[in-house]
Amino acid sequence: MISRPRSQALQQRAERFFPGGVNSPVRAFRAVGGEPPFIERAEGAYLYDIDGNRYIDYFGSWGPMILGHAFPPVVEAIERAARNSASFGASTAAEADLAERITACYPAIEKMRFVSSGTEATMSAIRLARAATGRKIIIKFEGCYHGHADGLLVKAGSGVATFGIPGSAGVPEEIAHLTLALPFNDIAVVEAAFAAHPGQIAAIILEPVVGNAGCIPPANGYLAGLRKLTAQCGALLVVDEVMTGFRVALGGATQIHGLDPDLITLGKIVGGGLPVGVFGGKRKIMDLLAPLGPVYQAGTLSGNPLAMAAGLATVSYVQEHAAEVYPRLETTTKAVAEGVAQEAARARIPLTLNRVGSMWTWFFTPGPVTNYEQAAKSDTVAFGRFHRALMDRGVWLPPSQFEAAFLSYAHTDADIQATIAAARAAFQVVAAR
Ligand code: KE4
Protein backbone atom coordinates (compact mmCIF):
# COMPACT_ATOMS: atom_id res chain seq x y z
CA MET A 1 0.00 0.00 0.00
CA ILE A 2 1.46 3.36 -1.05
CA SER A 3 1.67 5.92 1.80
CA ARG A 4 1.39 9.64 1.17
CA PRO A 5 1.74 11.48 4.50
CA ARG A 6 3.34 14.58 3.01
CA SER A 7 0.67 14.84 0.30
CA GLN A 8 -2.02 14.57 2.99
CA ALA A 9 -0.43 17.45 4.91
CA LEU A 10 -0.08 19.55 1.76
CA GLN A 11 -3.71 18.85 0.87
CA GLN A 12 -4.84 20.23 4.22
CA ARG A 13 -2.67 23.32 3.70
CA ALA A 14 -3.97 23.78 0.14
CA GLU A 15 -7.58 23.61 1.35
CA ARG A 16 -6.93 26.79 3.34
CA PHE A 17 -6.29 28.69 0.12
CA PHE A 18 -8.14 26.93 -2.70
CA PRO A 19 -11.69 25.52 -2.89
CA GLY A 20 -11.18 21.76 -2.61
CA GLY A 21 -7.46 22.41 -2.35
CA VAL A 22 -7.12 22.58 -6.12
CA ASN A 23 -6.87 25.02 -8.99
CA SER A 24 -8.93 22.86 -11.32
CA PRO A 25 -11.78 20.66 -10.02
CA VAL A 26 -10.91 17.30 -11.58
CA ARG A 27 -7.57 17.29 -9.71
CA ALA A 28 -9.41 16.81 -6.41
CA PHE A 29 -10.12 13.12 -7.20
CA ARG A 30 -13.77 13.58 -6.12
CA ALA A 31 -14.97 11.31 -8.97
CA VAL A 32 -12.72 8.40 -7.99
CA GLY A 33 -12.01 8.83 -4.26
CA GLY A 34 -8.63 8.51 -2.67
CA GLU A 35 -6.15 11.25 -1.90
CA PRO A 36 -4.61 13.26 -4.72
CA PRO A 37 -0.80 13.00 -4.52
CA PHE A 38 1.19 16.22 -4.67
CA ILE A 39 3.79 16.10 -7.41
CA GLU A 40 7.39 17.03 -6.75
CA ARG A 41 8.76 16.38 -10.25
CA ALA A 42 8.17 14.39 -13.42
CA GLU A 43 10.45 12.92 -16.08
CA GLY A 44 9.62 10.97 -19.21
CA ALA A 45 6.61 8.73 -18.52
CA TYR A 46 6.82 9.10 -14.75
CA LEU A 47 5.39 11.34 -12.05
CA TYR A 48 7.12 11.46 -8.65
CA ASP A 49 5.05 12.59 -5.67
CA ILE A 50 6.26 14.47 -2.62
CA ASP A 51 6.41 11.18 -0.66
CA GLY A 52 8.82 9.63 -3.15
CA ASN A 53 6.27 7.41 -4.90
CA ARG A 54 6.59 6.91 -8.68
CA TYR A 55 3.62 6.62 -11.03
CA ILE A 56 3.38 5.74 -14.71
CA ASP A 57 1.55 8.79 -16.07
CA TYR A 58 -1.49 8.19 -18.31
CA PHE A 59 -2.98 11.69 -18.27
CA GLY A 60 0.10 13.73 -19.24
CA SER A 61 -1.07 17.03 -17.75
CA TRP A 62 -4.40 16.38 -19.56
CA GLY A 63 -2.75 16.06 -22.95
CA PRO A 64 0.19 18.46 -23.44
CA MET A 65 3.04 16.10 -22.50
CA ILE A 66 3.02 13.98 -25.67
CA LEU A 67 6.86 13.82 -25.68
CA GLY A 68 7.00 12.92 -21.99
CA HIS A 69 7.89 15.12 -19.03
CA ALA A 70 11.02 17.33 -18.98
CA PHE A 71 11.78 16.50 -22.63
CA PRO A 72 15.31 18.00 -22.95
CA PRO A 73 14.77 20.16 -26.08
CA VAL A 74 11.68 21.68 -24.46
CA VAL A 75 13.43 22.33 -21.14
CA GLU A 76 16.41 23.92 -22.90
CA ALA A 77 14.15 26.12 -25.04
CA ILE A 78 12.30 27.42 -21.97
CA GLU A 79 15.59 28.03 -20.11
CA ARG A 80 17.00 29.98 -23.07
CA ALA A 81 13.87 32.11 -23.42
CA ALA A 82 13.68 32.80 -19.68
CA ARG A 83 17.14 34.36 -19.70
CA ASN A 84 15.76 37.12 -21.95
CA SER A 85 12.89 37.93 -19.55
CA ALA A 86 9.59 36.06 -19.12
CA SER A 87 7.36 38.48 -20.97
CA PHE A 88 7.49 41.63 -23.05
CA GLY A 89 3.90 42.43 -24.03
CA ALA A 90 5.27 43.16 -27.48
CA SER A 91 5.73 41.19 -30.69
CA THR A 92 8.49 38.61 -31.10
CA ALA A 93 9.71 36.47 -34.00
CA ALA A 94 8.89 33.33 -32.01
CA GLU A 95 5.15 33.92 -32.47
CA ALA A 96 5.43 33.70 -36.26
CA ASP A 97 7.94 30.84 -35.95
CA LEU A 98 5.30 28.75 -34.15
CA ALA A 99 2.49 30.04 -36.38
CA GLU A 100 4.38 28.89 -39.50
CA ARG A 101 4.54 25.35 -38.13
CA ILE A 102 0.89 25.36 -37.06
CA THR A 103 -0.40 26.46 -40.46
CA ALA A 104 1.83 23.84 -42.15
CA CYS A 105 0.02 21.16 -40.11
CA TYR A 106 -3.45 22.80 -40.25
CA PRO A 107 -3.83 24.38 -43.73
CA ALA A 108 -7.37 25.50 -42.82
CA ILE A 109 -5.71 27.90 -40.35
CA GLU A 110 -4.82 30.68 -42.80
CA LYS A 111 -4.51 33.19 -39.92
CA MET A 112 -4.57 32.69 -36.18
CA ARG A 113 -4.24 34.33 -32.79
CA PHE A 114 -2.52 32.97 -29.67
CA VAL A 115 -4.26 33.08 -26.31
CA SER A 116 -3.40 31.51 -22.94
CA SER A 117 -5.91 28.66 -22.64
CA GLY A 118 -8.28 26.47 -24.58
CA THR A 119 -11.18 28.29 -22.93
CA GLU A 120 -9.99 31.61 -24.35
CA ALA A 121 -9.56 30.01 -27.77
CA THR A 122 -13.09 28.59 -27.98
CA MET A 123 -14.70 31.65 -26.37
CA SER A 124 -13.00 33.89 -28.94
CA ALA A 125 -13.87 31.58 -31.85
CA ILE A 126 -17.56 31.69 -30.88
CA ARG A 127 -17.51 35.52 -30.70
CA LEU A 128 -15.88 35.60 -34.14
CA ALA A 129 -18.45 33.17 -35.58
CA ARG A 130 -21.34 35.31 -34.31
CA ALA A 131 -19.76 38.44 -35.80
CA ALA A 132 -19.01 36.72 -39.13
CA THR A 133 -22.58 35.42 -39.55
CA GLY A 134 -24.60 38.06 -37.70
CA ARG A 135 -26.34 35.17 -35.97
CA LYS A 136 -26.59 34.25 -32.26
CA ILE A 137 -27.36 30.54 -31.75
CA ILE A 138 -24.54 28.04 -31.20
CA ILE A 139 -24.82 24.24 -31.44
CA LYS A 140 -22.63 22.10 -29.18
CA PHE A 141 -22.86 18.42 -28.30
CA GLU A 142 -23.55 16.67 -25.01
CA GLY A 143 -20.38 15.32 -23.48
CA CYS A 144 -18.19 17.78 -25.36
CA TYR A 145 -16.32 20.27 -23.18
CA HIS A 146 -14.86 23.40 -24.69
CA GLY A 147 -13.65 25.19 -21.56
CA HIS A 148 -15.66 27.18 -19.04
CA ALA A 149 -16.96 30.22 -20.97
CA ASP A 150 -20.59 30.86 -19.96
CA GLY A 151 -22.13 30.08 -23.36
CA LEU A 152 -20.39 26.72 -23.50
CA LEU A 153 -21.32 25.54 -19.98
CA VAL A 154 -24.75 24.47 -21.24
CA LYS A 155 -26.66 21.20 -20.93
CA ALA A 156 -29.35 19.86 -23.25
CA GLY A 157 -32.79 21.30 -22.76
CA SER A 158 -35.88 19.11 -22.29
CA GLY A 159 -36.47 18.51 -25.99
CA VAL A 160 -33.65 17.84 -28.38
CA ALA A 161 -34.16 21.01 -30.39
CA THR A 162 -35.07 23.15 -27.37
CA PHE A 163 -32.57 25.66 -26.04
CA GLY A 164 -29.93 24.71 -23.52
CA ILE A 165 -30.08 25.08 -19.77
CA PRO A 166 -27.22 26.33 -17.61
CA GLY A 167 -24.57 23.68 -17.01
CA SER A 168 -23.23 25.59 -14.04
CA ALA A 169 -24.48 27.93 -11.35
CA GLY A 170 -23.82 31.51 -12.37
CA VAL A 171 -24.60 30.98 -16.06
CA PRO A 172 -27.67 33.12 -16.86
CA GLU A 173 -30.54 31.36 -18.63
CA GLU A 174 -30.51 34.14 -21.18
CA ILE A 175 -27.02 33.06 -22.23
CA ALA A 176 -27.73 29.32 -22.03
CA HIS A 177 -30.75 29.87 -24.27
CA LEU A 178 -28.42 30.88 -27.09
CA THR A 179 -26.89 27.38 -27.13
CA LEU A 180 -28.42 24.13 -28.34
CA ALA A 181 -26.85 21.01 -26.77
CA LEU A 182 -27.51 18.00 -29.02
CA PRO A 183 -26.54 14.31 -28.90
CA PHE A 184 -23.19 13.54 -30.57
CA ASN A 185 -23.04 11.22 -33.60
CA ASP A 186 -26.65 11.92 -34.69
CA ILE A 187 -26.83 14.02 -37.85
CA ALA A 188 -30.67 13.97 -38.01
CA VAL A 189 -31.07 16.01 -34.82
CA VAL A 190 -28.68 18.63 -36.22
CA GLU A 191 -30.71 18.82 -39.42
CA ALA A 192 -33.85 19.25 -37.26
CA ALA A 193 -32.19 22.04 -35.28
CA PHE A 194 -31.30 23.95 -38.45
CA ALA A 195 -34.87 23.46 -39.72
CA ALA A 196 -36.28 24.73 -36.43
CA HIS A 197 -34.05 27.80 -36.39
CA PRO A 198 -33.59 28.86 -40.04
CA GLY A 199 -31.03 31.61 -40.55
CA GLN A 200 -30.31 31.84 -36.79
CA ILE A 201 -27.48 29.38 -36.15
CA ALA A 202 -24.04 31.00 -36.16
CA ALA A 203 -21.92 27.90 -35.71
CA ILE A 204 -21.48 24.34 -34.63
CA ILE A 205 -18.61 23.71 -32.23
CA LEU A 206 -17.49 20.16 -31.50
CA GLU A 207 -14.67 17.95 -30.38
CA PRO A 208 -14.02 15.97 -33.61
CA VAL A 209 -13.05 13.03 -31.40
CA VAL A 210 -14.79 13.52 -28.06
CA GLY A 211 -12.39 13.30 -25.15
CA ASN A 212 -14.39 14.97 -22.39
CA ALA A 213 -17.03 12.26 -22.07
CA GLY A 214 -14.26 9.75 -22.26
CA CYS A 215 -13.03 8.96 -25.78
CA ILE A 216 -15.87 8.76 -28.32
CA PRO A 217 -14.86 8.67 -32.02
CA PRO A 218 -17.10 10.22 -34.70
CA ALA A 219 -19.33 7.80 -36.63
CA ASN A 220 -18.41 7.26 -40.29
CA GLY A 221 -19.49 10.26 -42.33
CA TYR A 222 -20.60 12.28 -39.30
CA LEU A 223 -18.00 15.04 -39.53
CA ALA A 224 -18.45 15.34 -43.30
CA GLY A 225 -22.20 15.56 -42.70
CA LEU A 226 -21.74 18.46 -40.27
CA ARG A 227 -19.45 20.23 -42.74
CA LYS A 228 -22.03 19.85 -45.54
CA LEU A 229 -24.92 20.99 -43.33
CA THR A 230 -23.16 24.08 -41.98
CA ALA A 231 -22.03 25.10 -45.48
CA GLN A 232 -25.59 24.68 -46.81
CA CYS A 233 -27.11 26.69 -43.93
CA GLY A 234 -24.58 29.53 -43.77
CA ALA A 235 -23.25 28.51 -40.34
CA LEU A 236 -19.58 28.10 -39.43
CA LEU A 237 -17.98 24.81 -38.46
CA VAL A 238 -15.67 25.30 -35.45
CA VAL A 239 -13.54 22.24 -34.76
CA ASP A 240 -12.17 22.22 -31.23
CA GLU A 241 -8.84 20.39 -31.49
CA VAL A 242 -7.54 21.59 -28.13
CA MET A 243 -7.21 17.94 -27.09
CA THR A 244 -6.93 16.14 -30.45
CA GLY A 245 -4.57 18.62 -32.13
CA PHE A 246 -1.10 17.09 -32.66
CA ARG A 247 -2.45 14.17 -30.56
CA VAL A 248 -4.46 11.85 -32.82
CA ALA A 249 -2.28 12.85 -35.79
CA LEU A 250 0.16 15.65 -36.61
CA GLY A 251 -2.73 17.46 -38.30
CA GLY A 252 -5.28 16.29 -35.74
CA ALA A 253 -8.73 14.97 -36.58
CA THR A 254 -8.90 17.62 -39.31
CA GLN A 255 -6.15 15.72 -41.15
CA ILE A 256 -7.54 12.23 -40.41
CA HIS A 257 -11.01 13.12 -41.71
CA GLY A 258 -9.95 15.53 -44.48
CA LEU A 259 -12.04 18.29 -42.88
CA ASP A 260 -11.99 21.91 -44.04
CA PRO A 261 -13.48 23.79 -41.04
CA ASP A 262 -14.03 27.53 -40.89
CA LEU A 263 -12.27 27.82 -37.52
CA ILE A 264 -10.05 25.48 -35.49
CA THR A 265 -9.03 25.82 -31.87
CA LEU A 266 -5.83 24.31 -30.45
CA GLY A 267 -4.27 24.08 -27.01
CA LYS A 268 -2.42 21.64 -24.75
CA ILE A 269 0.33 20.10 -26.97
CA VAL A 270 0.74 23.34 -28.97
CA GLY A 271 2.10 24.95 -25.78
CA GLY A 272 4.31 22.02 -24.75
CA GLY A 273 3.00 22.29 -21.18
CA LEU A 274 2.99 26.09 -20.98
CA PRO A 275 -0.23 28.16 -21.30
CA VAL A 276 -1.06 28.41 -25.01
CA GLY A 277 -4.38 28.34 -26.84
CA VAL A 278 -4.89 29.09 -30.52
CA PHE A 279 -7.93 30.02 -32.56
CA GLY A 280 -7.56 30.38 -36.31
CA GLY A 281 -9.09 29.74 -39.68
CA LYS A 282 -10.14 31.40 -42.90
CA ARG A 283 -8.43 34.74 -43.49
CA LYS A 284 -11.67 36.63 -44.19
CA ILE A 285 -13.09 35.53 -40.85
CA MET A 286 -9.91 36.14 -38.83
CA ASP A 287 -9.47 39.64 -40.30
CA LEU A 288 -12.66 40.65 -38.48
CA LEU A 289 -10.50 40.75 -35.33
CA ALA A 290 -9.19 43.98 -33.85
CA PRO A 291 -7.08 45.86 -34.78
CA LEU A 292 -8.27 45.16 -38.37
CA GLY A 293 -11.95 44.59 -37.70
CA PRO A 294 -14.78 45.12 -35.20
CA VAL A 295 -14.36 41.96 -33.06
CA TYR A 296 -12.46 42.71 -29.89
CA GLN A 297 -10.17 40.09 -28.31
CA ALA A 298 -6.97 40.64 -26.32
CA GLY A 299 -4.60 39.12 -23.76
CA THR A 300 -1.71 40.32 -21.62
CA LEU A 301 0.26 37.10 -22.01
CA SER A 302 -0.94 36.09 -25.46
CA GLY A 303 2.08 34.82 -27.43
CA ASN A 304 4.19 34.77 -24.27
CA PRO A 305 7.85 34.14 -25.24
CA LEU A 306 8.37 31.24 -22.82
CA ALA A 307 5.13 29.58 -23.97
CA MET A 308 6.11 30.13 -27.59
CA ALA A 309 9.51 28.54 -26.91
CA ALA A 310 7.96 25.47 -25.26
CA GLY A 311 5.34 25.16 -28.01
CA LEU A 312 7.89 25.61 -30.79
CA ALA A 313 10.25 22.98 -29.33
CA THR A 314 7.37 20.52 -28.95
CA VAL A 315 5.66 21.12 -32.30
CA SER A 316 9.00 21.20 -34.15
CA TYR A 317 9.97 17.83 -32.69
CA VAL A 318 6.69 16.05 -33.47
CA GLN A 319 6.60 17.63 -36.94
CA GLU A 320 10.19 16.70 -37.80
CA HIS A 321 9.95 13.21 -36.28
CA ALA A 322 6.31 12.44 -37.15
CA ALA A 323 7.36 9.29 -39.04
CA GLU A 324 8.71 7.85 -35.78
CA VAL A 325 6.50 9.51 -33.15
CA TYR A 326 2.99 8.65 -34.36
CA PRO A 327 3.61 5.01 -35.37
CA ARG A 328 5.32 4.45 -32.01
CA LEU A 329 2.42 6.07 -30.13
CA GLU A 330 -0.04 3.90 -32.10
CA THR A 331 1.86 0.67 -31.32
CA THR A 332 2.36 1.28 -27.61
CA THR A 333 -1.13 2.68 -27.03
CA LYS A 334 -2.73 -0.28 -28.84
CA ALA A 335 -0.66 -2.64 -26.67
CA VAL A 336 -1.64 -1.12 -23.34
CA ALA A 337 -5.26 -0.32 -24.21
CA GLU A 338 -6.00 -3.79 -25.61
CA GLY A 339 -3.82 -5.58 -23.07
CA VAL A 340 -5.79 -4.10 -20.17
CA ALA A 341 -9.10 -4.76 -21.95
CA GLN A 342 -8.09 -8.43 -22.23
CA GLU A 343 -7.43 -8.52 -18.48
CA ALA A 344 -10.94 -7.13 -17.89
CA ALA A 345 -12.39 -9.87 -20.03
CA ARG A 346 -10.45 -12.50 -18.07
CA ALA A 347 -11.84 -11.02 -14.84
CA ARG A 348 -15.32 -10.90 -16.41
CA ILE A 349 -15.54 -7.13 -15.84
CA PRO A 350 -17.76 -5.47 -18.50
CA LEU A 351 -15.55 -2.97 -20.31
CA THR A 352 -15.71 -1.05 -23.61
CA LEU A 353 -12.48 0.30 -25.10
CA ASN A 354 -12.72 3.37 -27.34
CA ARG A 355 -9.42 4.57 -28.81
CA VAL A 356 -8.10 6.98 -31.42
CA GLY A 357 -4.32 6.95 -31.63
CA SER A 358 -2.79 7.70 -28.23
CA MET A 359 -6.03 8.83 -26.57
CA TRP A 360 -8.44 6.23 -25.21
CA THR A 361 -10.94 5.33 -22.48
CA TRP A 362 -11.86 2.08 -20.75
CA PHE A 363 -15.60 2.50 -20.10
CA PHE A 364 -16.90 0.22 -17.34
CA THR A 365 -19.98 -0.73 -19.32
CA PRO A 366 -20.78 -3.45 -21.87
CA GLY A 367 -21.21 -0.69 -24.47
CA PRO A 368 -21.22 0.35 -27.21
CA VAL A 369 -20.30 3.93 -26.32
CA THR A 370 -21.07 6.22 -29.26
CA ASN A 371 -22.50 9.18 -27.36
CA TYR A 372 -22.66 10.69 -23.88
CA GLU A 373 -25.92 8.95 -22.92
CA GLN A 374 -24.26 5.56 -23.47
CA ALA A 375 -21.06 6.67 -21.72
CA ALA A 376 -23.13 7.74 -18.70
CA LYS A 377 -24.24 4.12 -18.22
CA SER A 378 -20.70 3.27 -17.08
CA ASP A 379 -20.21 1.89 -13.58
CA THR A 380 -18.37 4.84 -12.08
CA VAL A 381 -18.08 3.11 -8.70
CA ALA A 382 -16.20 0.24 -10.32
CA PHE A 383 -14.05 2.73 -12.23
CA GLY A 384 -13.24 4.46 -8.93
CA ARG A 385 -12.14 1.15 -7.39
CA PHE A 386 -10.03 0.43 -10.46
CA HIS A 387 -8.45 3.88 -10.34
CA ARG A 388 -7.56 3.61 -6.64
CA ALA A 389 -6.18 0.10 -7.04
CA LEU A 390 -3.99 1.26 -9.93
CA MET A 391 -2.79 4.30 -7.97
CA ASP A 392 -1.71 1.94 -5.18
CA ARG A 393 0.28 0.04 -7.81
CA GLY A 394 2.00 3.09 -9.30
CA VAL A 395 -0.26 3.66 -12.30
CA TRP A 396 -2.03 7.03 -12.59
CA LEU A 397 -5.08 7.21 -14.88
CA PRO A 398 -7.06 10.41 -15.33
CA PRO A 399 -9.25 10.57 -12.16
CA SER A 400 -12.62 10.32 -13.92
CA GLN A 401 -14.47 7.76 -16.03
CA PHE A 402 -15.36 10.65 -18.34
CA GLU A 403 -11.85 11.66 -19.36
CA ALA A 404 -9.49 10.36 -22.01
CA ALA A 405 -6.20 8.74 -21.10
CA PHE A 406 -3.04 9.74 -22.98
CA LEU A 407 0.24 7.99 -23.66
CA SER A 408 3.55 9.69 -24.37
CA TYR A 409 6.51 9.08 -26.66
CA ALA A 410 8.49 8.28 -23.48
CA HIS A 411 6.41 5.26 -22.39
CA THR A 412 8.41 2.05 -22.83
CA ASP A 413 7.36 -1.53 -23.51
CA ALA A 414 8.32 -2.28 -19.89
CA ASP A 415 5.88 0.43 -18.74
CA ILE A 416 3.15 -1.19 -20.85
CA GLN A 417 3.78 -4.65 -19.37
CA ALA A 418 3.91 -3.23 -15.83
CA THR A 419 0.60 -1.45 -16.44
CA ILE A 420 -1.09 -4.61 -17.72
CA ALA A 421 0.16 -6.53 -14.67
CA ALA A 422 -1.13 -3.80 -12.34
CA ALA A 423 -4.49 -3.84 -14.13
CA ARG A 424 -4.72 -7.62 -13.72
CA ALA A 425 -4.44 -7.17 -9.94
CA ALA A 426 -6.74 -4.12 -9.94
CA PHE A 427 -9.50 -5.99 -11.74
CA GLN A 428 -9.33 -8.63 -8.97
CA VAL A 429 -9.98 -5.82 -6.48
CA VAL A 430 -12.93 -4.59 -8.56
CA ALA A 431 -14.35 -8.09 -9.00
CA ALA A 432 -13.98 -8.88 -5.30
CA ARG A 433 -16.74 -6.41 -4.30
P1 KE4 B 1 -8.34 24.95 -20.95
O1 KE4 B 1 -9.09 26.25 -20.74
O2 KE4 B 1 -8.52 24.01 -19.78
O3 KE4 B 1 -6.89 25.17 -21.34
O4 KE4 B 1 -8.99 24.23 -22.24
C1 KE4 B 1 -10.36 23.98 -22.25
C2 KE4 B 1 -10.65 22.85 -23.22
C3 KE4 B 1 -11.17 23.15 -24.47
N1 KE4 B 1 -11.44 22.19 -25.37
C4 KE4 B 1 -11.19 20.88 -25.08
C5 KE4 B 1 -11.51 19.84 -26.11
C6 KE4 B 1 -10.64 20.52 -23.82
O5 KE4 B 1 -10.41 19.20 -23.55
C7 KE4 B 1 -10.36 21.51 -22.87
C8 KE4 B 1 -9.81 21.19 -21.49
N2 KE4 B 1 -9.71 19.80 -21.14
C9 KE4 B 1 -9.74 19.48 -19.75
C10 KE4 B 1 -9.55 17.98 -19.57
N3 KE4 B 1 -10.51 17.21 -20.20
C11 KE4 B 1 -8.73 20.23 -18.95
C12 KE4 B 1 -8.42 19.66 -17.57
C13 KE4 B 1 -9.03 20.48 -16.49
O6 KE4 B 1 -10.13 21.05 -16.69
O7 KE4 B 1 -8.40 20.53 -15.41
Side-chain angles (χ1 to χ4, degrees), residues 23-27 61-62 116-120 122 144-148 206-207 209 211-212 240-244 265 267-268 276-277 402-404 406:
N23 284 295
S24 199
V26 70
R27 302 177 190 175
S61 180
W62 303 95
S116 298
S117 70
T119 294
E120 273 192 274
T122 58
C144 287
Y145 174 71
H146 304 288
H148 60 88
L206 80 156
E207 293 181 61
V209 175
N212 288 287
D240 179 357
E241 296 234 43
V242 166
M243 183 183 289
T244 53
T265 54
K268 297 180 189 278
V276 177
F402 307 111
E403 290 287 355
F406 303 105

Side-chain angles (χ1 to χ4, degrees), residues 55 129 152 183 219 234 265 402 412:
Y55 307 86
L152 291 168
T265 54
F402 307 111
T412 65

Side-chain angles (χ1 to χ4, degrees), residues 142 154-160 162-165 180-183:
E142 289 171 290
V154 172
K155 292 188 297 190
S158 53
V160 162
T162 55
F163 290 121
I165 55 177
L180 286 170
L182 303 178

Side-chain angles (χ1 to χ4, degrees), residues 66 98 101-102 105-106 241 243-253 266-267 269-270 315 318-319 326 329:
I66 193 166
L98 181 51
R101 290 187 175 268
I102 291 169
C105 301
Y106 297 83
E241 296 234 43
M243 183 183 289
T244 53
F246 298 104
R247 167 61 62 180
V248 297
L250 182 64
L266 295 166
I269 293 170
V270 78
V315 169
V318 294
Q319 194 178 20
Y326 291 99
L329 288 172

